[in-house]
Structures are given as C-alpha cells and as structure tokens.
Amino acid sequence: MNTEAKTEAVSNPGLGSMIEITDLHKWFGEFHVLQGINLTVQKQERIVVCGPSGSGKSTLIRCINRLEEHQKGRIVVDGIELTNNIKNIEKVRAEVGMVFQHFNLFPHLSILDNLTLGPLWVRKIPKKQAEEAAMHYLEKVHIAEQAKKYPGQLSGGQQQRVAIARSLCMNPKVMLFDEPTSALDPEMIKEVLDVMIDLAREGMTMIVVTHEMGFAKSVAHRVLFMDYGKIVEGNTPEEFFSHPRHERTKLFLSQILH
Amino acid sequence: MDTLTKTIDAHEIRPPVTSVGVIGWIRANLFNSVFNSILSVVTLFFLWKTVPPLVQWAFIDSAWMTNSQACQQGAGACWSIVTSNLRFILFGFYPQELQWRPLAAMLMLFGLLFYSRDRKHWSKALGYGWIIGLALMGILMTGGIFGLTHVESTQWGGLPLTLLLAVFGLTAAYPLGVILALGRRSKMPAVKIMSILYIELIRGVPLISLLFMSSIILPLFLPEGITINKILRAQVAIILFTAAYIAEVVRGGLQGISRGQYEAAESLGLNYYLTMRRIILPQALKIVIPPTVSILISAFKDTSLVAIIALFDILRTTQTVLSNPQWMGFSREAYVFIGLLYFLGCFSMSNYSRKLEKELSTGR
C-alpha cells in the first residue's frame, strides 16, 4: 500500500520550501507514534491535517517547533535543521508560531503584556514599539478593546484570538495550529476561523490540525489524513473530500461531518 | 366592586421583633438548633466564669509601675516586671546610655518595612533606600565611626537581635529556597542530587541541633585563631534551615503549573531564565503564598531558639529578668508581654500576606 503523501502542485510554486520533513520517526517509550513521515511544505502553502485521535498529528506539528524531540529522520525549517543544537532550536522557534488547543495564555499578565512579552524579552524591541505592534495585532483579531484585561476575564473565543495575536507579534514565517477550535463553544468557532482565514489571505504559511472541514475546503491547499503515525493520503480539498482513495480515509470521512 | 380583593392599609408592616436586629441574630446564630443552643449556653457560662476574673487580675488589681515588693503583696497582675525591666527586655546588655542607637535602628527598620508594604512604592529608589538604611542600621548598632562608641556584637540583644535574625533570615531564605526548588526540578543530575541532599539533610534535623552545630562544633573545625561572629553563625543556621522548607513549598507550587504554560513560553522563544522569571515563578509563588507565609511566621518565632546558644534575643532577656530573685514568680506577666510582641509581628506578616493575595488575584 502506498503510504507516501501525494503532493500536489501548490498555487504558488517556485517560492521554495518552508519545511522539509524526511523519514521522521518518533517513539514515546515503546509506542511508535510517528512512523516515517515525509512532508514538504512550500512557502505560503496551507495544509490541514486530520485524522483520528492518537494518529500522531499533534505530535507531528509539535516536532516542527521542537516541543517534541524526534529520534530519527530530518526536519528542516526555513533552511535550519532541527537537532540538539540549542541555537538552532531557538532560531527555529523564532520563526514558528504556535496556537494551542487550550490557548495557554499567561493568566497573571494582562492581554497587552501577554503579547509584548516575546518581543520585549526575546527580540529586545523597545517597549513603546512593542506595545504599538501589539495593539496593531489586537486590532487585527478584533479584540483591541480588551488590551488591559486579563485572560481570565475573556471568553474562549476571545482568548484564542489573543493567542493568535500573541504568536503574530513575533512575526513568524510559519504558523502551526493544534486543534485551535476544539475547546471552543460552537458560536465562538466562527470568530476564530475568520481570523485564521484573514491570515491565510495574507499569505501566511499554515499547518492546521483540525476537524473543521469547512475551513479546510475554503483555504487549504492540501488536506492530509493521518492514521497510526503515517500520512495515509493527501490531496487538494476538492479531490480529498469527493474522491478519497483509501478505505481508512473513507471510513474517517464518513464518521465526521463534512 | 371586586369582592375577591381587599385593599389593605398602606402602612408599613414590620417583621416580627424576634426575627430581626440583635435578637434576630442571636436566634439565628446561637440558638438555631438544640445542639447549638447547648453549645451557646455552655460557652456563655464558661465566659462568665473566666472573663471577669481575668479582667480583675489583668487590669483592676494589677500593678503597673510599682516595685517588686508591692507586686508580691498585690493580688493582681504584676505588669511592673515589664515596666521596670523594659529596657533590659528590649535591649539586653546594650550599654544603657547608648540605647537610643538600637532604638533608632529599629524605628528605621519599621519605617522601611511600612513603606515597602505598598507594591506601588517598589522601585529602584526603594532598593537603594533599603541598602542605605541597612548600612545605617549596621553603623548605629556597631558604632566605631562617626564618633559613635563601638559596641561589640556580643552585647547586642533583645528586640533588635530578634528583628535582625528574623529580617535577614527570612529575606535570605526565600530566594535560596526558590533556587533550591528549581534545582530539585532540574534535569541536570548533579544539580538535582545536590538539591535533594541539601533539602533532606536539613529537614531531617531540628533547628536547635543546627544552632548547636554552628555554635559549638563549627568552631572546632576552624583553624586556630579564626572565629566567626556568633550572631552570624546563628543567622546562617536560620537561613539554611528555613530555605529547605521554602524549597519544598515552592516545588509544590511549580508542580501545579500546567505544561501548557511552559510550552507557550517555549514556542515564543523564551529561554529557561525568562520562562521562570516571567511566566512560571510569578504564578507558582503566588499560589504558595499561604504555606510560604506559614513557614516565615514559624521561622520568625524560631529565632527564640538562639537562647539555647547564649544569644540574648528577646526571649532570653525575659528569662534572665525572671531569674532575678526579686522578680521570680511573675513569669505569666513577662511571657504575656513578649507573647504580645511575637503576636504583633506574626499578625502583621499574616495580614500583609492576605493583602498581597488580594492584590495579586487577577480573576483567574
């Protein structure tokens, strides 16, 4: 059975690759969670990864910014290879933004401070400049009026939008989304997806682990299906949803609303 | 005219007198069930038996400014033991005519502490203020320059000594405890093992034994002629002891911080120091304010143990007064007095921690 991801042409070919993953393997103890992943993500490409829980999709994207360490294979982000070299890891993390399922805002800091923390202390940007940039991104995610509040005072959808703004303040080249709307009430999912669609329109390279197939259909260049640590199938959204090739993909699609 | 409704006079109908006001409160809180009623009656009886005699003893029959003979003859409390010996209780063997110096030093300390209560006042200027203040306090106590007579540290005693041991002890133990907690959670084996060893060894012995070791055993190991100031030795023992307990409490707080916080910090590119300083420690230390303050309050009272190694803190000076044949037998009054002093100190710390917690809560 052909388990390699089918890579289709991206809408902007020739920009070069942002992420190259070659023969990636990862074990959690004895559990072989990633079994030989091969994936190339072009600049400005948008990928949606879906699959049943335990398939390794979160682990895959967490390997890209070294929240998880891989044991075998290569990951290269914007020309920098991810190894044990701390300097490289820090360089990669400066280019890669991450949005978590449970937001992970810093509850003891105001929204504005949440956003300016990275720029102030990692990029060493002067305070005034950092705050102006932060307000700009807060306006972008339509939440500027909450700047002085604390995360505990915001709703889930608002917190997730703040989390996206926080990542954007570091000017990343790639944004990773780990089930960004899975912890949200249905009425808040739209406001977050709208922000992500705006980001997509501006040409951000994005890898999104999600079950929101509407989002996949509207902005993804490719949809990948993962199961048991392998990329089973990958295709343009049109092809993926209308003509799934593998049995497992068909089974999965029948189980989720799309 | 509707015969089913009836207009009632529009005057105010008050609730029955037994359900509001004082009587209402008593009914609702003291006598609302059989068990509570019995308990209330028993307690009221107990209070009736004890409070009047207590007031009689402490205030009505008491002697405040007399000499010891009058006290022996009187039936009430002999507060004169405190008033006659106040200077010795408070200042120990510090030369009488120079006692304005430790007094001034203490007032300076109280002033700085009071000003530092408000977090809005915390600034670089306050930091410098503390450094200068501490230097001045040191000069006032020791003398030797600026025309002040030199006073050996062996003569320091009473409240200044207690405060010295407490303030330096607690402020040094806290950061040391935090470092130990971080060390214990470190992934580097050497650091982790050293931290565990330190914490377990120190927690395994009573403070008294550490004080003995520092004051009796340590000098045996020092080369001939080298002596370390006794107060310094006791101070170090108190710091090392308290730090071990703070370390475990802080470690508990660190364990309570979710992994997501670390991950978010890492994703933003924050290194270990920044993650701890800006994200993790502010949250962890805030959570463990209650047990931390408990430890610090305990440590404050534990300074009294230095009495065992012949340092004249406020407890030992009191005991010395009591060993005077004139004033023997009035230990109640003496201990009530220093009990009040300790209570004031501990209650202030407790109060402040409540205030701090309230200020720091961000609607989590």
Side-chain angles (χ1 to χ4, degrees), chain A residues 62 65-68 90 93-94 96-98 100 103-109 114 117-118 121-122 150-153 166-167 170, chain B residues 258-275 277-283 286 360-364:
Chain A
R62 284 157 65 90
N65 72 348
R66 200 66 172 188
L67 285 182
E68 302 286 355
E90 286 178 1
R93 284 186 179 155
V96 176
M98 182 129 182
F100 299 88
F103 333 133
N104 290 334
L105 294 181
F106 305 129
H108 62 297
L109 298 174
N114 260 277
L117 189 79
W121 299 102
V122 180
Y150 285 84
Q153 297 169 296
R166 181 177 64 174
S167 292
M170 296 295 281
Chain B
S258 66
R259 272 217 73 201
Q261 293 290 299
Y262 290 90
E263 289 180 356
E266 279 176 5
S267 309
L268 286 174
L270 297 170
N271 60 18
Y272 178 80
Y273 169 73
L274 280 171
T275 307
R277 163 85 178 80
R278 299 277 158 192
I279 310 293
I280 307 297
L281 282 178
Q283 295 181 62
K286 187 172 91 175
L360 291 174
S361 71
T362 54
R364 194 178 195 198

Side-chain angles (χ1 to χ4, degrees), chain B residues 1-241:
Chain B
M1 178 81 171
D2 201 322
T3 52
L4 288 174
T5 58
K6 208 168 113 176
T7 51
I8 301 178
D9 255 336
H11 71 266
E12 192 183 290
I13 304 178
R14 307 231 64 228
V17 75
T18 49
S19 71
V20 291
V22 178
I23 301 178
W25 184 90
I26 292 178
R27 276 196 72 182
N29 289 291
L30 300 181
F31 296 103
N32 54 358
S33 75
V34 175
F35 179 71
N36 281 348
S37 304
I38 295 175
L39 209 57
S40 299
V41 167
V42 168
T43 309
L44 284 168
F45 177 74
F46 178 74
L47 287 174
W48 175 66
K49 274 279 174 208
T50 57
V51 173
L54 190 66
V55 170
Q56 181 88 8
W57 175 81
F59 296 109
I60 302 176
D61 290 339
S62 57
W64 287 80
M65 296 291 226
T66 64
N67 60 20
S68 58
Q69 253 114 6
C71 263
Q72 306 270 10
Q73 282 151 14
C78 179
W79 300 116
S80 318
I81 184 178
V82 172
T83 51
S84 306
N85 298 294
L86 191 63
R87 289 179 74 154
F88 184 75
I89 293 177
L90 288 182
F91 297 109
F93 289 112
Y94 209 90
Q96 285 250 337
E97 66 284 5
L98 300 171
Q99 276 172 2
W100 65 270
R101 281 162 45 180
L103 181 65
M106 282 201 296
L107 288 175
M108 209 183 291
L109 181 66
F110 290 142
L112 277 170
L113 280 172
F114 196 74
Y115 188 73
S116 305
R117 276 175 66 101
D118 192 344
R119 292 180 80 224
K120 293 193 202 70
H121 293 152
W122 291 12
S123 66
K124 262 213 170 87
L126 184 61
Y128 290 134
W130 267 99
I131 296 176
I132 297 173
L134 287 170
L136 278 174
M137 286 181 234
I139 293 174
L140 277 170
M141 291 294 289
T142 325
I145 52 174
F146 301 139
L148 296 168
T149 334
H150 179 68
V151 179
E152 280 290 328
S153 64
T154 45
Q155 289 181 290
W156 297 3
L159 195 53
L161 182 59
T162 297
L163 287 174
L164 168 75
L165 290 170
V167 169
F168 279 106
L170 306 185
T171 43
Y174 191 74
L176 181 58
V178 171
I179 293 172
L180 278 169
L182 292 174
R184 184 154 176 168
R185 280 170 63 90
S186 166
K187 292 201 185 73
M188 296 183 273
V191 174
K192 187 169 177 176
I193 291 175
M194 295 286 287
S195 303
I196 295 179
L197 269 176
Y198 175 100
I199 293 171
E200 295 305 327
L201 281 174
I202 299 281
R203 284 204 309 175
V205 297
L207 178 56
I208 276 194
S209 67
L210 280 180
L211 288 171
F212 268 136
M213 282 196 276
S214 77
S215 119
I216 294 166
I217 299 180
L218 182 68
L220 294 175
F221 287 109
L222 290 176
E224 278 297 317
I226 298 193
T227 49
I228 305 181
N229 184 312
K230 191 187 231 173
I231 295 182
L232 183 61
R233 279 181 267 145
Q235 180 77 86
V236 169
I238 292 175
I239 292 174
L240 294 180
F241 184 77

